[in-house]
Amino acid sequence: VQLQASGGGLVQPGGSLRLSCAASGRAFRNYSMGWFRQASGKERQFVAHISWSGATSYADSVKGRFTISRDNARNTGYLQMNSLKPEDTAVYYCAAQSNTRFQYPPNWGYWGQGTQVTVSS
């Protein structure tokens, strides 16, 4: 599976962005999908997870503001980010195929390249 993340950019605090993760290969529909972020000088951090069946989990820091979804017919995953804060600034990565310990980056099989999200006035 190859993953291509897109949709990042510069947005003001309180604004919204939607990230997309396009996947190659029909196996994507059988995999869980996730989003992580990495701020400059910090470790990669779990953001959200969606199982192959659509069950979702979020980091506490984004709960209620971010929504993860997927469209298996389009082989694409999404991260809708609302009420963005400066502390959401980071490179965002999508990933596919995890085990149950999906909060930890080493437990994911496939990664896309990152897309930069900058929240600033």
Side-chain angles (χ1 to χ4, degrees):
V1 175
Q2 292 185 319
L3 305 174
Q4 179 83 24
S6 62
L10 173 64
V11 63
Q12 292 188 341
S16 297
L17 280 175
R18 188 175 81 155
L19 305 183
S20 298
C21 179
S24 64
R26 292 184 296 175
F28 174 74
R29 66 187 62 208
N30 298 320
Y31 292 158
S32 57
M33 202 208 82
W35 289 93
F36 287 75
R37 65 187 181 187
Q38 189 165 15
S40 180
K42 295 190 176 181
E43 292 186 351
R44 195 165 295 190
Q45 176 186 52
F46 169 73
V47 174
H49 167 271
I50 185 167
S51 72
W52 64 270
S53 62
T56 58
S57 299
Y58 297 93
D60 287 344
S61 59
V62 307
K63 207 171 288 184
R65 299 188 298 123
F66 291 10
T67 302
I68 189 171
S69 62
R70 65 192 299 162
D71 183 343
N72 288 337
R74 296 178 183 270
N75 264 15
T76 303
Y78 304 97
L79 185 69
Q80 177 67 42
M81 305 186 295
N82 298 330
S83 302
L84 282 162
K85 304 175 182 180
E87 51 263 44
D88 295 318
T89 295
V91 178
Y92 283 71
Y93 298 89
C94 61
Q97 191 192 42
S98 71
N99 58 26
T100 55
R101 302 186 74 198
F102 51 76
Q103 300 93 335
Y104 305 101
N107 294 331
W108 290 81
Y110 303 97
W111 289 90
Q113 94 295 352
T115 184
Q116 176 71 46
V117 172
T118 303
V119 184
S120 175
S121 55

